[in-house]
Amino acid sequence: MTDSEPHLTEHRRTAAPAGAEDQARALRLVHGYMASQALGAAVRLNIADALAESPKSCADLAAATDTDPDALRRLLRALETLGLVERPSRTDLFTLTSFGDVLRSDADAPAHALANLFTSPAVWRPWGELHQSVRTGATAFETVFGMPAFAYIGRQAELSALFNAAMAETAQGAADVVAAGCDFSRFPTVVDVGGGNGTLLAALLTAHPGSRGVLLDTPTGVREAPKVLADAGVADRCTITTGDFFTAVPAGGDAYVLKSVIHDWDDEPARTVLRRCREAMPDHAKLLLVEPVLPGENGPAAELSVVLSDLNMLVMAGGRERTEAEYATLLDSAGLELVGVGGPLAPTHFQILEAVPR
């Protein structure tokens, strides 16, 4: 180095100032929403679908997605760092990773609609008011949009379609492990309460060919069910019923399955749904809830996915995740007795809670 060259201090390995690592860790959490929105942008721009056809240069991908090439390159740089795309030969050709493949709209295990929904204004804006929900106990969604979430979603055709698609993806991700996590062969007739497009019920009936199914949901919820059940080859063993589970549930089933239903509601409406199920159940029938279960007050720390889901219920729907003891109390108040709780169904956070009539 000559005297005319800039003098750079040689890097020395020194101990970080006290608290520096914790600060960096906090900043990673603070920046987390930026990664979520990068993923959401990729979905809304259909980048994964475009790359699924073949590797593309940034210029070709910009043309395929109608985006600004320079801005797209910046997004692709972030997606590469997040592990969603890669450049195998370190050239300008981008391709999907197996991780990024889930963002395709036709992926075998998709997260396309989920990513779109959870980074959309319908979820994004209420989460921005989480502090107000914590301060007041009120649901932020109603503060932002002026009505309960399900009422609002039902009035927005595009949002309703997106919500149903996202719920179908959630069901698809859990269907096989739920089917394997409980012996459904003991149930001649399985009633799926609030079962949406029938993804879960199709998996249960496929795994247990001796059983028949009844699918209950709103007309919008079951719109895609005939195709889903037919594609699975179980349509001849399933009856689709439209209705409101707050009003009535089909009678005479041997098992009543409610996946991700009870956590949507606070105790009083949840109790009403459970009572409608109890009224429909023969004395020998079982009720099976497929939900996350929070640890008790003196238990270990909860899984991150479960506590975030609990906050999402606070912000969005007014529901909640519950402990085993809270489920037992809630079921008891509806005339049901909790008799068993299965372990987590990996890789999901769901557990199966089994109850019987009292």
Side-chain angles (χ1 to χ4, degrees):
M1 178 182 294
T2 67
D3 290 341
S4 62
E5 292 177 324
H7 291 268
L8 303 178
T9 302
E10 181 181 355
H11 174 73
R12 297 177 181 176
R13 188 181 299 276
T14 58
E21 183 56 40
D22 287 336
Q23 182 193 47
R25 183 181 176 191
L27 288 176
R28 287 194 291 272
L29 291 177
V30 169
H31 295 154
Y33 79 92
M34 299 179 187
S36 299
Q37 285 298 328
L39 189 150
V43 166
R44 283 185 277 280
L45 295 171
N46 292 311
I47 288 174
D49 285 350
L51 288 177
E53 301 169 2
S54 63
K56 287 182 172 60
S57 68
C58 182
D60 288 343
L61 187 58
T65 57
D66 191 26
T67 53
D68 176 79
D70 179 65
L72 177 62
R73 183 177 295 280
R74 296 163 74 176
L75 175 61
L76 288 170
R77 187 182 298 135
L79 298 177
E80 183 179 20
T81 299
L82 292 170
L84 296 164
V85 302
E86 62 184 355
R87 294 172 295 139
S89 57
R90 298 290 102 187
T91 65
D92 186 47
L93 286 178
F94 289 87
T95 187
L96 283 177
T97 64
S98 60
F99 180 31
D101 193 65
V102 303
L103 300 184
R104 286 172 32 217
S105 59
D106 61 349
D108 292 335
H112 183 275
L114 282 164
N116 196 350
L117 176 67
F118 277 88
T119 60
S120 73
V123 178
W124 179 254
R125 289 180 59 195
W127 264 91
E129 299 300 322
L130 171 62
H131 65 291
Q132 294 292 359
S133 284
V134 173
R135 179 172 287 133
T136 66
T139 302
F141 191 98
E142 293 189 40
T143 302
V144 173
F145 292 104
M147 65 182 71
F150 292 115
Y152 181 85
I153 291 169
R155 296 185 183 188
Q156 309 287 327
E158 186 175 345
L159 178 59
S160 180
L162 176 60
F163 176 83
N164 287 328
M167 295 306 100
E169 288 182 353
T170 301
Q172 184 176 340
D176 289 339
V177 294
V178 172
C182 180
D183 180 16
F184 284 90
S185 65
R186 55 191 167 133
F187 304 126
T189 300
V190 178
V191 181
D192 189 353
V193 179
N197 73 354
T199 295
L200 175 59
L201 187 56
L204 299 181
L205 297 182
T206 299
H208 304 284
S211 299
R212 299 187 62 83
V214 178
L215 177 65
L216 171 70
D217 212 312
T218 64
T220 301
V222 301
R223 183 174 296 155
E224 302 297 324
K227 182 179 187 305
V228 170
L229 297 169
D231 288 349
V234 299
D236 61 333
R237 291 190 283 128
C238 190
T239 300
I240 299 173
T241 302
T242 59
D244 178 359
F245 50 46
F246 287 109
T247 303
V249 170
D254 301 293
Y256 286 76
V257 178
L258 294 87
K259 178 196 167 294
S260 303
V261 171
I262 297 303
H263 82 158
D264 283 337
W265 308 99
D266 209 351
D267 285 353
E268 191 52 43
R271 186 178 298 112
T272 299
V273 177
L274 294 171
R275 282 175 175 163
R276 297 295 87 81
C277 291
R278 175 62 187 94
E279 291 165 2
M281 294 169 65
D283 289 342
H284 70 272
K286 312 289 186 186
L287 180 87
L288 302 170
L289 303 181
V290 183
E291 300 279 8
V293 179
L294 287 167
E297 289 299 322
N298 297 320
E303 291 289 333
L304 179 61
S305 60
V306 179
V307 293
L308 291 180
S309 178
D310 185 44
L311 288 177
N312 192 54
M313 293 301 103
L314 170 64
V315 166
M316 294 294 295
R320 61 178 59 235
E321 305 300 352
R322 294 174 172 88
T323 66
E324 180 178 334
E326 288 170 335
Y327 271 115
T329 300
L330 181 63
L331 288 161
D332 181 72
S333 69
L336 296 153
E337 179 184 358
L338 181 64
V339 295
V341 180
L345 300 171
T348 77
H349 56 217
F350 293 112
Q351 296 178 239
I352 298 177
L353 301 96
E354 183 170 327
V356 298
R358 278 199 292 103

